[in-house]
Amino acid sequence: MSTFYLQCIEETCQRRQDPRHEASACAQCGGLLEVKYAFDYFDPEELRHRWHQRRLSGQIIDRSGVWRFRELLPIIEPGARIISLSEGNTPLVGTRRTSWWAGPIHLTIKHQGNNPTGSFKDLGMTACITRATARGVRVVACASTGNTSSSMAAYAGRAGMRSLVFVPYRQISAAKLAQALDFGALVVEVGDTFDEAFRLLREVAPEMGLYLVNSINPFRLEGQKTIVAEMMEQRAYRPPDYIVVPGGNLGNCSAVGKGLRELKELGVIEKVPVVVVVQAAGANPFYRTVAANSPELIPVEQPNTEATAIRIGRPANWKKARRVLEYTNGFCECVTDEEIFEAKSVLAQDGVACEPASAATVAGIRKLVRAGRIPRHADVVAVLTGHQLKDTEYIMRHRSPTDPATAGRQRLRVEPDVDALRRALEKAFATPP
Ligand code: F0G
């Protein structure tokens, strides 16, 4: 059977750690840890066939779009209890208007909003909470911009654990807060930014014996990396030219890169796509760091964007993400909130909706095609990370009856009278959308 160990990613350290004493940082230098494998030999064709066959099975482990690819994450004992909500299995959909608007390119959407709690976090959470369950963990905790906390609360509840959430005060969407509460988490609103909440959590966690499930937990990324296995399967193992993800704490980008590397090493894919990270212009520490080719992170002290999911100034996983850009010849872009809104609106015309952070990908693609960094007609997959209903306040703000773009076109308040209705509707239909 394939084996694994934990290893510090710092080049000067690279200390191996016994996974039985797993932690979220290297005991020697405090660096990030990653899961490394000594994989058994697999015949790639047989492996692809095995994954496909499992789609016909009714077993919990096979119905999960994460555990179906379990050869890629041999981190649990055979027969261990799997904490799953049938995560993954998300659609890959083509776009017409958005492909033209952003390109012309061949743009498909991998929609992670179709996960049980409405975001890509569920892929990582099933891996992490399953692992925590096997180790007898009783209380899990995270700091969050909202999606990690919703997901953690759901999976922890299912596993019978308590969950503790730190969120910045009034900085996350009401829907996400509601989800965490609904799943029974203890929610602490603390600090003005995610970064502050995260720093405080990391300070109190050791003395309180809290098991952290933020993306510094290496097992989270193991679950999240399976997105690329599923994407490749849906594309008959023909990799796209580019995979584009939004960047916040940079766990997703790190996971996507790790997944691609391992699929390539196992011979399941022949080519590795370029990985592109898109950040919001007001919360773009990684963009700045990459642009300056800086050996240290250039943080953003007061991150600010309407895409609250990615309002992060000190991304914990930036070093892993930088390795992914190096490995895939990738790059990082940033986009304004106006560009994000425009992209979100165009996606909606294709019937594809998402939360604002996710639409940053498509805004970034358009900018990169215009700048000639992504060639026209390229084959591009944008990962949409969160569901439309994750942030309805954003939609209502942008579609308010007082907004000139919306007033009279989309939202009418009409007297309960047939003539008044007729007049209002005739007028509205006379204006092109
Ligand atoms: N998109 C959405 C919808 C997110 O919720 C996040 C992160 C990202 C993109 C960025 O992913 O951090 O892996 O680079 N949300 C975290 C949270 C920080 O707490 O829910 P990343």
Side-chain angles (χ1 to χ4, degrees), residues 119-121 142-149 176 194 214-215 220 224 246-253 309-310 312 317 355 357-358 385-387:
S119 85
F120 72 105
K121 306 289 182 182
C142 71
S144 182
T145 56
N147 280 326
T148 301
S149 44
K176 294 175 187 176
F194 164 83
N214 276 99
S215 52
R220 273 273 308 281
Q224 277 174 217
N249 218 12
L250 300 173
N252 201 24
C253 159
I310 52 174
I312 294 177
N317 292 297
E355 68 167 286
S358 312
T385 44
H387 196 279

Side-chain angles (χ1 to χ4, degrees), residues 48-60:
R48 292 191 283 242
H49 181 70
R50 204 188 290 182
W51 291 341
H52 186 72
Q53 284 303 107
R54 286 184 187 146
R55 297 173 65 152
L56 307 174
S57 155
Q59 299 219 17
I60 289 171

Side-chain angles (χ1 to χ4, degrees), residues 395-412:
I395 302 171
M396 299 315 268
R397 249 190 339 267
H398 282 270
R399 308 273 181 193
S400 102
T402 54
D403 185 324
T406 310
R409 291 169 184 239
Q410 267 203 289
R411 291 184 70 182
L412 311 176

Side-chain angles (χ1 to χ4, degrees), residues 72 225-226 228 254-264 269:
L72 299 177
K225 78 182 180 189
T226 60
V228 288
S254 307
V256 164
K258 189 170 194 287
L260 290 171
R261 182 191 278 267
E262 288 172 4
L263 287 181
K264 176 78 168 49
I269 53 171

